[in-house]
Amino acid sequence: MRPVFLIGYMGCGKSTLGRALSRLTGITLIDLDTYIESRFHRTVTELFAERGESGFREIETAMLEEVASFEDVIVACGGGTPCFGRNMEVMNQAGLTVWLNTPRDVLLRRLIRGKHKRPLIAQKTDDELGAFIDAALEARETFYSQAQAQFCGANLEDKSQIDTTARAFITRFLQSS
């Protein structure tokens, strides 16, 4: 099976859905940020600090090209991955790209709940976070919309919803593989 790339904004459910898909199908999940961290023995935050955004994005593209050559993997990409260089072209040529297009209110709720785990948004008030999400979604939609398919990531709040959503994803995208 060619790779399946899950793309979308932070908090849209890429990692949550990816873990459920992996558990239900046995297909290996690669979280691209975790993959980068294991290869470089640094956190994404440290790599950004040491190399700047452009240096990090070069690493990210190289690692994306590497995992794009793998068979039988689901790749949960970073929210910004599709927006740099030729990353969307790489993913679209290598496998199936699916944009987890999750409603803004769901993103805001999830990111408010988990912002302490995300340095980029940790210090933002809820209103600032809402404005930040709106601006980022507007800027990134051009890239995300290049995905070959869209899938709603709204119903990933508890185990039952996650399993139901993952099974719907499997039926739609993975059964013929």
Side-chain angles (χ1 to χ4, degrees), residues 48-116:
F48 257 88
E50 293 169 6
R51 299 174 186 231
E53 183 173 16
S54 64
F56 172 77
R57 296 299 177 188
E58 288 175 15
I59 291 169
E60 181 181 54
T61 297
M63 296 297 97
L64 177 64
E65 289 172 343
E66 188 172 298
V67 301
S69 70
F70 297 171
E71 294 284 326
D72 300 319
V73 293
I74 297 164
V75 182
C77 298
T81 303
C83 308
F84 294 90
R86 51 183 223 90
N87 291 350
M88 278 305 301
E89 180 183 340
V90 168
M91 291 185 282
N92 280 330
Q93 287 178 354
L96 173 66
T97 51
V98 181
W99 173 18
L100 289 188
N101 192 356
T102 303
R104 184 248 193 216
D105 63 313
V106 175
L107 294 173
L108 180 60
R109 186 178 69 248
R110 289 178 184 166
L111 292 174
I112 286 171
R113 194 171 55 225
K115 69 181 175 179
H116 63 281

Side-chain angles (χ1 to χ4, degrees), residues 1 4 6 13-31 71-76 100 156 159 162-163 165-171 173-174:
M1 178 190 90
V4 175
L6 302 178
K14 299 178 298 284
S15 296
T16 298
L17 180 59
R19 283 190 300 271
L21 293 171
S22 180
R23 178 175 43 81
L24 292 169
T25 65
I27 298 170
T28 300
L29 172 66
I30 297 174
D31 180 291
E71 294 284 326
D72 300 319
V73 293
I74 297 164
V75 182
L100 289 188
L156 296 167
K159 185 172 182 350
I162 293 166
D163 283 352
T165 299
R167 289 181 198 290
F169 188 99
I170 291 165
T171 297
F173 298 112
L174 301 178

